[in-house]
Amino acid sequence: MNEETTHKIMDLTNLTLTELQTALQNGETTSTAVTEAMLERIVAIDNDIQSYLTLTDELALAQAQEADERRARGDDSPLLGIPLAVKDMICTEGVQTTAGSKILEGFVPPYDAFVVRKLREAGAVILGKTNTDEFAMGSSTENSAYVTTRNPWDLSRVPGGSSGGSAAAVAANLAYGALGTDTGGSVRQPAAFCGIVGLRPTYGRVSRWGVVAFASTLDQVGTFGRTVADCTAVFQTIAGHDPHDSTSLDVPVPDYEAALTGDIRGLRVGVPKEYFVEGIDAEVETAVRTAIDKLAELGAEIVEISLPHTEYALPVYYLIAPAEASSNLARYDGVRFGPRVAGVDMIDTVKKTRALFGPEVKRRIMLGTYALSAGYYDEYYGRALKARTLIKQDFLNTFDQVDVIVTPTTPTTAFKIGEIADDPLQMYLQDIFTLSVNLSASCGISVPCGFDSQGLPIGLQLIGNSLQEATILNAAYAYEQAANWTGAMAEQPL
Amino acid sequence: MDKYEAIIGLEIHAELMTKSKMFTGAPVVDSVEAEPNTAVSPLCLGMPGTLPVINKKAVEYALRVALALNCQINQDNIFARKNYFYPDLPKGYQISQYEEPIGVNGWLDVTVNDEMRRIRIRRVHMEEDTGKLTHVDDGTSLVDYNRAGVPLLEIVTEPDIHSGEEARAYAMKIRQILRYLGVNSGDMEKGVLRVEPNISIRPSGSAELGTRTELKNLNSFRVLADGTAYEIERQAKVLDAGDRVVQETRGWNEAKKRTFSQRVKEEAEDYRYFPEPDLPPLYISDEWIAAARAALPELPDAKAARYVNELDLSAYEAQVLAQERAVGEWFDTAVTAGGAPKSIAKWMINELFRLMNEHRQMIDRIQVTPQGLVELIALVDKGTINNNTAKDVLAEMFTSGQSPQEIVEAKGLAQISDEAALATAVTQILDDNPEMVARYLAGENKLRGWFVGQVMKATRGKANPGLVNQLLSQQLAER
C-alpha cells in the first residue's frame, strides 16, 4: 500500500471510539471505510499479537454497509457502524465460538448472546472473536488451546487474561472497543497490563445469556475501551434486564455517559490497608499512591479503610469458582455439539472427547468436584460460601463510609510469556486484588495510572458498591482527564 | 403373625402437562409419538451459555399437587443441581430440589381390603425429566431429547406401605388425584407416570430396617403389585436361606413373572448437590398459596362423601361417579340442571356407561349432555315415554346428539295415555280373544301378562303400561 493510504489507515485506527462517533456523525468517514481500515490493520499486525481467534471480515463489512445505510436514513445510534471485538467466551450466531478450548472447536452457536444481540441491534460492527484462556481459566491467555496473545507494549509479555485477546486488540488499535468476561478479574487485569480501561459491572447488570459459563455466580460481561468514555459507550449499550437470565437485575439503566462530569469533589475514596502489602511491586505501589494523591487534588476525600477478610478472597474464590465450573463443564461430552472423539463404546467416546480439555481446565474440574463431594462439601464449598458472606459484608460496611474503594488492579505489571505458566499458584495470585469484587457483587474498573521503568502500563482499580457503575466510571473519568495518560497510550510501539 | 414385615416406600415421578418445558419455551410433546429431537431448544441440548427460566405454570401445578396431598408448603423454594453423568442428561446435571422442596409432611388415606390406611408423604419436589436413550443392536446408542426438560414432580412417601396391594392402592390414588388436578394423564405405558418402590423386609416386631431393593420400569399398577409381592417373597427366601439381601436396582420380567437384578449399588451415589446458581430462590407468597388452594377442585374422597351424605347415593354409586373428575362433574351438572340425583346416578351407571363402553368414548367426548339426560328422565317421570322407550331414546341421543324431545316427536314415541283410546284397544283385544278371556276368568292369572303384551303390540309399545293394567283390570272384572 502507498504512503497516503497508510497514513489514512493510521489516522482512522488511531481514533478513539468517541472520536469515531463524531467523525461518523459529521460524515467525515464511513463505517465501511473504518471497518476496512481496521481489517487491513488486523491483517497487517495481528500476526504478531494474535488477539483474534476468528476474524469475521465478511460479516463486518456487511454490517458496516448496513450501518452506513442506516445512518443515511437518519439513524444516529451511539454504536452505529463502530467496529468492535467480542471475546470468544460469548456466543455469536453463525460464528464459531470456542471458549479458547479444543472441546468447542468448530462449534457454531445457533443463537446470539444477549450482549451480542444488543450490539447488533445498535448497529455495531463485529470484527471477530478474540482469544481467551480456555473457558476463561487463566490470567495470561497462555491457557488458550489455540494461541498465546502478546502484549502490544512488549511482544515478549502476556496481555493478561483471560480476556487478553480483547484487551490486546483494543490496546493495539485493532478494535475501537471490546467485550470481555470477568469472573475473577479477567477484564480488569488485562486492561491494566495493556494500558486501557476495563469495566467489570455488578453481577446481574448485564445478562449472562449466551455467555459460556465458567462460574455462574461470578461471571459477568465487561467492556474495554481506550478511554473511560469509550468503555462507557459500549457498556451503556449492553447493560439492562434480560428475562432470559433469571439472575439479571430488573432495575433501570442510568445514563452512564451523562454521569461522566469529571467532578469528584466530595467523593469519599477508601484506601484499604490490606491491598498495600508485601508482594506488591514497588513501582506499582508508587504509581497507585500518586494516583490517589491526584484524586485528592481533584477534591476527593481520602479515607483509610479496612477490608478485614481480604486474605480469604483467594481461597474462597478457588473453591467456589472451580466447584461451579465442575458442574458447568459437565455438558461437554461430544454427544450433542462440538467435536466428538470416537471410542469403542458410548462411555469411551465421552472419555476420549473430554481429553480435549486442557490441563488447567482439568485441574479446576477436579478441584471443584472434590470441593462438592459428600463428606467434603461442608468443609470446603459450604465454608467458602460462609466466608463469601463475610467478604460481602466487609464491602457493604465499607460502602457506608466511602463511595469508592481504590486499589492497584494487579500486584505487578505484565510478566513474560512462560514466566509463571507452570506455576498455577503464582498465576492465581494475579487476581488477588480483583476477585473480591466478584465475590462481593460490587463493580470495578481498571484505568491506566502510569508506567513502570520498563515502560509497561500500570492499572488503578476503582471499586463501587452494587450498581454504582456511574460513580466509578465518573471517578475513573475525572482521574483520566486530570492525569492525561491517554496521550501517552497513543504512542504505541506498533 | 407373618414371619416378616415388609417396609415399602414409594417414589412416584409424574410429568406435568404444561405447554412448555420446566426451564425453556420448548414445547412438551408426547415423547412416544413425536419425531425424535423435534421439541428441543438450545437449552434442552445443554448448549453453552443457555440459562434456565422457571415455568410458572409448572410451579402452579406442583403447588396444586402438594396442597392436594396435604403437604406443608415451603415458601422459599431453592433449586439445586444434582450432578451425575449420563448421555440422556444434557447438562451433566439435573435441576431439582434438594433441601427445600415445595411440599413436605403430607399424607394420603387409602383403602385396602376395606381398611383405611394413612400413608405419610415425605416430600413433593420439582425437577426436570431426562432424555431417552435407546441402545441399538450394533452397539450404537441413540438419544432423543424431546423429553429432556419436561417438568417432573417427584412424590416420595415415608416407608408406610406394607404390601404390593397397598402400594398399588396408593399409586392408583395418586394417579387419580393427578388426573383430577389436570396435571398428568396418568398414562404409565407412556412413562408420564413412573412408580418405583423401595422394598425391604424385617422379622416381624423388629425395629431395624433391612437392606432394601428398588424396583424400576414397572409399567402398570398390576406389575407394581405383582413385582412388589414377588420381591417381598424373594427377600424372605433369601433371609430364610441365611443369605443377605443385596442393595440393588431390580427390574420386572413380565414373561417369567419375577424380578431380576439390574444394577448393584455398592456405595451411595454422590450427586454433589449444590444450589443452582442460575436460579434465584423462588418465593411462593401466601396469596399464591391461598389462590391455588381456592382453585383446587373437589377431590375424589370429598366428592364421594358428599354424594352419600347429601345426595343419598349408595357408597358404590358414589365411588363410581367420583372415580374420574369428568364423570363427577358431568353428574354434578346434571344434578344442578334439576334431576333427581338417584335417578341420574342409575341412568349414568346402568345406561350411559354401557353406551360409552360400546362406543369407546370418554365422558368429555360424548354428545349426550347432562341437561339432555335430565330432560329424558323428566319425560319418563311425566309418563310421556316409558322406561324401555327411554333407553332407546338415550341410545339415539348418544349417536345423533339430538335432544330427547326431538327424538320422541320425530319418531312418534310419546306413549298413549289417552284413556278412551286405550280402553278401545283393550276392548278390541278382549273381544278378539274370547277363549283366552275364558281361561283367565277360570283362574289362569298368568295370562294377564299376555293381554298386556297384546295391547303393547297393538300400540307399537307406546301404551302407558300403568293405564293399560288399570283398564285391563276394569274390563276383565266386567266380563
Side-chain angles (χ1 to χ4, degrees), chain B residues 306-363:
Chain B
R306 179 168 61 84
Y307 290 169
V308 171
N309 298 332
E310 296 178 22
L311 303 182
D312 226 14
L313 302 194
S314 71
Y316 168 76
E317 289 167 336
Q319 195 244 324
V320 169
L321 292 177
Q323 186 73 28
E324 291 276 343
R325 180 175 172 181
V327 172
E329 287 179 351
W330 204 98
F331 171 75
D332 289 340
T333 309
V335 171
T336 310
K342 196 81 184 172
S343 303
I344 297 167
K346 286 198 186 319
W347 276 94
M348 284 179 72
I349 294 169
N350 296 332
E351 299 303 322
L352 194 62
F353 289 180
R354 187 180 52 75
L355 288 166
M356 281 160 54
N357 274 338
E358 240 174 64
H359 295 271
R360 300 187 170 280
Q361 281 189 1
M362 308 293 282
I363 201 155

Side-chain angles (χ1 to χ4, degrees), chain B residues 229-240:
Chain B
Y230 177 90
E231 190 55 22
I232 294 168
E233 292 239 334
R234 187 191 68 84
Q235 292 187 11
K237 280 182 194 152
V238 169
L239 294 189
D240 283 345

Side-chain angles (χ1 to χ4, degrees), chain A residues 275-298:
Chain A
Y275 282 66
F276 295 86
V277 289
E278 207 180 329
I280 180 172
D281 180 272
E283 289 185 289
V284 169
E285 177 164 2
T286 304
V288 170
R289 295 236 181 248
T290 308
I292 293 169
D293 292 344
K294 178 66 83 179
L295 291 172
E297 273 174 44
L298 292 168

Side-chain angles (χ1 to χ4, degrees), chain B residues 194-451:
Chain B
R194 310 194 280 274
V195 185
E196 290 158 7
N198 285 298
I199 304 158
S200 67
I201 63 170
R202 64 185 176 195
S204 292
S206 162
E208 269 175 54
L209 288 172
T211 305
R212 62 184 196 179
T213 58
E214 187 179 1
L215 294 189
K216 283 201 181 222
N217 303 317
L218 309 177
N219 61 6
S220 74
F221 292 115
R222 186 189 52 75
V223 167
L224 168 67
D226 291 354
T228 304
Y230 177 90
E231 190 55 22
I232 294 168
E233 292 239 334
R234 187 191 68 84
Q235 292 187 11
K237 280 182 194 152
V238 169
L239 294 189
D240 283 345
D243 292 334
R244 59 179 195 91
V245 173
V246 178
Q247 185 174 342
E248 61 187 349
T249 300
R250 297 178 70 87
W252 174 252
N253 184 324
E254 178 61 24
K256 295 181 179 167
K257 304 276 179 209
R258 64 187 193 206
T259 64
F260 63 94
S261 176
Q262 280 185 319
R263 194 160 58 100
V264 176
K265 284 184 178 174
E266 283 174 349
E267 48 192 306
E269 299 218 38
D270 183 358
Y271 292 118
R272 288 173 281 121
Y273 280 103
F274 73 104
E276 167 55 273
D278 290 330
L279 292 173
L282 170 76
Y283 181 69
I284 301 181
S285 66
D286 290 334
E287 292 73 26
W288 194 1
I289 295 171
R293 201 185 290 279
L296 283 183
E298 186 180 33
L299 291 171
D301 282 357
K303 212 181 244 308
R306 179 168 61 84
Y307 290 169
V308 171
N309 298 332
E310 296 178 22
L311 303 182
D312 226 14
L313 302 194
S314 71
Y316 168 76
E317 289 167 336
Q319 195 244 324
V320 169
L321 292 177
Q323 186 73 28
E324 291 276 343
R325 180 175 172 181
V327 172
E329 287 179 351
W330 204 98
F331 171 75
D332 289 340
T333 309
V335 171
T336 310
K342 196 81 184 172
S343 303
I344 297 167
K346 286 198 186 319
W347 276 94
M348 284 179 72
I349 294 169
N350 296 332
E351 299 303 322
L352 194 62
F353 289 180
R354 187 180 52 75
L355 288 166
M356 281 160 54
N357 274 338
E358 240 174 64
H359 295 271
R360 300 187 170 280
Q361 281 189 1
M362 308 293 282
I363 201 155
D364 46 7
R365 294 285 168 81
I366 61 173
Q367 301 196 64
V368 180
T369 62
Q371 290 76 11
L373 180 63
V374 171
E375 284 169 30
L376 180 71
I377 294 169
L379 289 178
V380 176
D381 290 349
K382 277 192 297 188
T384 309
I385 53 175
N386 62 38
N387 241 348
N388 279 334
T389 307
K391 288 179 190 172
D392 297 338
V393 172
L394 185 64
E396 183 69 24
M397 289 163 70
F398 199 92
T399 48
S400 74
Q402 287 176 292
S403 77
Q405 197 65 50
E406 283 169 344
I407 296 166
V408 167
E409 279 168 18
K411 300 205 163 179
L413 295 176
Q415 68 185 354
I416 302 168
S417 299
D418 177 340
E419 196 171 333
L422 277 185
T424 309
V426 168
T427 309
Q428 187 70 48
I429 295 294
L430 297 185
D431 288 351
D432 289 354
N433 298 284
E435 59 291 358
M436 301 300 271
V437 173
R439 281 165 62 189
Y440 176 83
L441 293 174
E444 233 178 298
N445 285 336
K446 64 179 179 190
L447 285 175
R448 189 183 173 92
W450 184 85
F451 289 116

